[in-house]
Amino acid sequence: VNFRHQDPASSHHWLASVWSLICAGLQQTCPMLGVDDQRAQTLRCDFSLWSWTCGELKEGDSELRGFTLERYEEAMLPMMRDASKIRGSSLWMMASPWSPPPWMKTRRTFHGEGRLLPACREMWARHFVRFIEEMHRAGVPVSAVSVQNEPEAAQCWESCLYTAEEERIFVRDHLGPALRSAALDDVKIIVWDHNRDGMLER
């Protein structure tokens, strides 16, 4: 169901059934899931209809001048803000990337077996920081980030491969320091955002 195409009453009912702890405004008793966490992709994911980035991030844009959350304002951010209102508190939000922009990767495509270029690690870490900061300004604070969605899967949709060593280097030398420099020490970092059968490798 496309959330944007529902009428206001149906949208509210759906949001309340997922995020509310109390079945407010409904005449009959109904079960509430009481979910308090949410996951947001930091770029396009495999549920999207086409590949996109946070704004017009042109090759070499190390300062992320083209960064914007404009696409998120079309539906995702309004839905997240409405969910927070219904719940009565901020959601616990984890942000996860499916792929960096293609020009930051060894294989210059969103999908497939590409890896983050070592020369782009610092820039990609700044992208994490910018995303968190802009989400906070939009009224949706981010509590955690994962380094990469499914870091061992080369998919026909957006993906980016990381070995355990590559994740360690990125967190230790780039993402961790970038978060600390931006006074975002309270944001948790999650590695091995993948199936549990391989978690002991990390």
Side-chain angles (χ1 to χ4, degrees):
V1 176
N2 191 319
F3 182 79
R4 291 183 296 173
H5 294 165
Q6 296 185 76
D7 62 84
S10 297
S11 297
H12 180 83
H13 186 105
W14 181 81
L15 288 170
S17 69
V18 176
W19 278 288
S20 180
L21 295 177
I22 302 172
C23 199
L26 302 178
Q27 297 303 311
Q28 72 265 19
T29 302
C30 62
M32 295 293 100
L33 296 179
V35 174
D36 66 356
D37 60 348
Q38 172 74 28
R39 190 182 192 201
Q41 72 268 19
T42 60
L43 293 167
R44 189 267 193 199
C45 72
D46 49 308
F47 297 110
S48 303
L49 298 178
W50 61 83
S51 299
W52 51 271
T53 61
C54 292
E56 296 297 327
L57 296 177
K58 297 179 180 179
E59 184 167 357
D61 184 7
S62 60
E63 301 303 319
L64 305 178
R65 295 183 182 89
F67 186 100
T68 176
L69 292 183
E70 183 176 341
R71 186 176 297 277
Y72 289 77
E73 284 290 359
E74 294 177 8
M76 287 183 279
L77 282 170
M79 183 186 71
M80 293 171 187
R81 287 190 285 257
D82 287 345
S84 295
K85 289 177 183 177
I86 287 171
R87 185 169 178 81
S89 62
S90 296
L91 302 176
W92 191 92
M93 179 70 64
M94 182 177 83
S96 303
W98 263 243
S99 173
W103 53 268
M104 291 190 186
K105 299 171 66 178
T106 55
R107 178 178 177 181
R108 295 169 67 91
T109 61
F110 280 104
H111 64 281
E113 300 179 352
R115 299 178 180 275
L116 179 65
L117 287 165
C120 291
R121 286 170 178 163
E122 183 178 346
M123 194 184 314
W124 187 226
R126 286 201 295 272
H127 189 286
F128 275 79
V129 170
R130 183 70 178 274
F131 183 86
I132 295 167
E133 291 175 337
E134 294 299 326
M135 288 287 282
H136 182 78
R137 292 188 186 99
V140 182
V142 173
S143 301
V145 295
S146 69
V147 172
Q148 171 63 39
N149 174 69
E150 299 182 347
E152 208 169 57
Q155 304 285 15
C156 59
W157 54 79
E158 283 73 4
S159 54
C160 185
L161 300 178
Y162 283 81
T163 64
E165 177 68 7
E166 286 169 334
E167 279 199 292
R168 183 177 75 91
I169 291 171
F170 182 64
V171 170
R172 182 194 65 194
D173 298 344
H174 303 281
L175 182 56
L179 292 176
R180 284 193 296 272
S181 295
L184 294 171
D185 307 66
D186 57 332
V187 176
K188 300 182 185 302
I189 301 174
I190 297 170
V191 297
W192 190 243
D193 182 3
H194 207 143
N195 301 332
R196 64 180 182 178
D197 59 344
M199 65 183 181
L200 296 180
E201 299 173 8
R202 308 276 161 150

